[in-house]
Amino acid sequence: MKKILITGGAGYIGSHTAVELINAGFDPIVLDDLSNSDEKVLDRLEEISGRKLTFYKGDCNDRILLDQISFEHELAGVIHFAAFKAVGESTQFPLKYYKNNLGSLLVLLEFMKDQGIKDLVFSSSCTVYGQPDQLPVTESTPRKEAESPYGNTKKVCEDILVDYVKSKPGIRVISLRYFNPVGAHPSSKIGELPLGVPNNLVPYITQTAAGIRKKLTVFGDDYDTPDGTCIRDFIHVMDLADAHVKAFSFLNHQEMDYYDVFNVGTGKGNTVLEVIQAFEKVNDLKLNYEIGPRREGDIEKIWADTKKINEELGWYSKYSLEDSMRDSWNWQKTLGN
Ligand code: NAD
Ligand code: UFG
């Protein structure tokens, strides 16, 4: 069984990817400092997969620890999820974000080079597109100036990878540009664990439905969209997890010094009100919400062109928006209120 190091593997997307890697016959080795996750996730992964995962609690900037892991396991590659991701916090503490998000990539690349590890999948984001001039966005749509230090870390990491691969170090890399990840594992054993008041739409919806928040505010209904609310491409986290398995398997068949980027979305945009309606319908609930002013810095509309990932990686999204809303709510119910 090929062993893959998953940095940030106890987090939201990493944990779901660990499950899908096991299902595909890989052996994920999880490295996480638990700065934004809970060790209980490892027990949940064991319940879902029926086997114990190898877990290292530590920082992926710690080169000594990385070398120890590589000494103990023959690694076929790395999927690098570990990063700080709170947009607002990144404007307050930019150095914290640059240090962790850029620093960890640099340490990992040097580690991979020294240990002869060839394959890397990197977590990027559709945030690199800003508000695109044309929709849907393809991978060759020009990137815009980043809206936040967090967004800039994703852009700079992509640039680092381009420059590094150009220098012919003998590696193969894919950056996946995620659109808006939502949903949870259908077993409801793992899902997103937002700290404090959620910034993102779907955790805010589920917490409102659970009575943790009084009311959801829809940020603006005067955008140039069919119902006036913003449009996003909401991708189920299980589909996203599967994209990592496909990307990793694909890398293995490429020549050395390969680099490419792929959008990971459904290819369909939904408005904020459509998300609320889907949530209400599939869960037979009424959500307490009101229309409020626009949120500063919000992109009006964005969704993915998925032709490249469909054709080259053979990946297609399978889960609908309704599936996402059902699984998000089932997960929230396990968290209580
Ligand atoms: P998450 O916070 O749930 O998971 C990240 C994990 O990394 C956490 O478990 C955290 O404890 C860990 N971590 C952070 N820094 C670390 C370090 N230095 N060493 C070891 N572990 C560390 O986030 P997520 O939603 O699963 O996101 C995963 C990746 O995808 C991130 O790179 C994020 O920027 C990117 N991304 C997320 C979204 C989204 O909306 N969730 C969208 C686009 C891109
Ligand atoms: N929204 C509300 N009310 C809320 C929360 C969100 O109306 O309480 C709206 C927003 O205004 C936006 C839409 O729901 O129109 C989606 O907002 P999110 O915060 O869930 O997602 P964003 O697309 O704004 O940003 C997210 C992450 C970024 C990441 C980006 C692309 O927060 O870090 O997706 O992956 F870069």
Side-chain angles (χ1 to χ4, degrees):
M1 258 196 292
K2 279 191 180 169
K3 295 184 176 189
I4 306 177
L5 180 65
I6 315 192
T7 73
Y12 176 40
I13 305 167
S15 59
H16 291 80
T17 302
V19 172
E20 288 303 88
L21 285 169
I22 292 171
N23 288 338
F26 292 101
D27 184 7
I29 310 288
V30 173
L31 168 61
D32 201 302
D33 64 3
L34 304 179
S35 55
N36 196 36
S37 48
D38 195 308
E39 195 157 358
K40 285 192 201 104
V41 169
L42 277 304
D43 299 330
R44 299 299 188 85
L45 289 175
E46 188 178 339
E47 286 172 31
I48 295 170
S49 65
R51 39 175 283 224
K52 202 164 180 58
L53 273 81
T54 308
F55 173 56
Y56 290 84
K57 179 172 184 283
D59 188 337
C60 64
N61 291 284
D62 180 349
R63 177 60 198 264
I64 293 168
L65 174 60
L66 290 172
D67 286 336
Q68 183 199 330
I69 297 172
S70 169
F71 180 74
E72 289 171 0
H73 303 275
E74 192 184 329
L75 297 173
V78 178
I79 304 185
H80 183 36
F81 293 103
F84 294 144
K85 63 165 184 178
V87 177
E89 190 193 50
S90 79
T91 58
Q92 247 182 310
F93 304 107
L95 297 190
K96 175 180 170 183
Y97 276 70
Y98 285 114
K99 193 170 175 201
N100 195 33
N101 296 8
L102 302 188
S104 62
L105 180 66
L106 299 176
V107 171
L108 269 175
L109 289 174
E110 282 179 348
F111 159 72
M112 290 176 66
K113 172 87 176 154
D114 294 346
Q115 299 289 350
I117 301 165
K118 304 294 181 203
D119 294 336
L120 172 68
V121 178
F122 173 71
S123 299
S124 190
S125 166
C126 74
T127 192
V128 300
Y129 295 117
Q131 176 59 70
D133 298 328
Q134 278 188 331
L135 286 163
V137 282
T138 71
E139 290 76 356
S140 50
T141 298
R143 298 178 311 165
K144 291 270 174 77
E145 200 175 316
E147 303 273 340
S148 66
Y150 165 73
N152 205 32
T153 66
K154 293 296 168 189
K155 239 180 123 184
V156 177
C157 281
E158 286 193 358
D159 292 341
I160 290 171
L161 290 168
V162 170
D163 287 343
Y164 187 53
V165 171
K166 267 192 211 153
S167 76
K168 301 208 181 309
I171 62 166
R172 303 176 282 215
V173 184
I174 284 180
S175 290
L176 295 177
R177 289 179 180 158
Y178 313 156
F179 281 65
N180 289 54
V182 289
H185 192 271
S187 67
S188 302
K189 288 185 190 295
I190 53 171
E192 193 172 5
L193 278 173
L195 281 181
V197 183
N199 283 312
N200 296 120
L201 177 64
V202 175
Y204 211 105
I205 289 178
T206 58
Q207 289 196 6
T208 305
I212 301 168
R213 313 276 155 219
K214 276 207 177 87
K215 194 183 273 187
L216 169 81
T217 302
V218 173
F219 298 135
D221 69 348
D222 56 352
Y223 287 100
D224 181 18
T225 62
D227 61 27
T229 63
C230 292
I231 295 179
R232 296 289 185 277
D233 185 334
F234 296 93
I235 175 83
H236 195 293
V237 66
M238 293 303 292
D239 277 331
L240 188 50
D242 180 43
H244 291 80
V245 176
K246 297 267 191 322
F248 194 85
S249 308
F250 177 84
L251 278 178
N252 199 248
H253 299 102
Q254 305 313 304
E255 300 281 317
M256 278 306 152
D257 301 313
Y258 168 92
Y259 176 76
D260 213 346
V261 294
F262 293 90
N263 287 340
V264 198
T266 63
K268 190 173 181 293
N270 285 105
T271 67
V272 172
L273 286 179
E274 283 169 352
V275 174
I276 294 171
Q277 282 151 13
F279 180 83
E280 290 184 327
K281 187 165 171 232
V282 75
N283 297 311
D284 196 17
L285 282 168
K286 268 284 174 236
L287 193 74
N288 191 16
Y289 72 90
E290 66 183 3
I291 307 292
R294 289 182 177 199
R295 180 171 71 176
E296 202 189 328
D298 262 344
I299 302 300
E300 180 174 80
K301 48 190 163 190
I302 186 165
W303 64 95
D305 184 318
T306 60
K307 191 163 178 263
K308 184 172 172 186
I309 191 166
N310 296 156
E311 291 182 355
E312 291 189 33
L313 301 194
W315 174 90
Y316 294 85
S317 63
K318 299 186 193 83
Y319 291 78
S320 66
L321 181 63
E322 285 70 23
D323 295 331
S324 295
M325 292 306 112
R326 184 200 56 228
D327 292 340
S328 291
W329 177 232
N330 285 340
W331 164 244
Q332 177 68 54
K333 284 191 284 185
T334 71
L335 300 175
N337 50 10

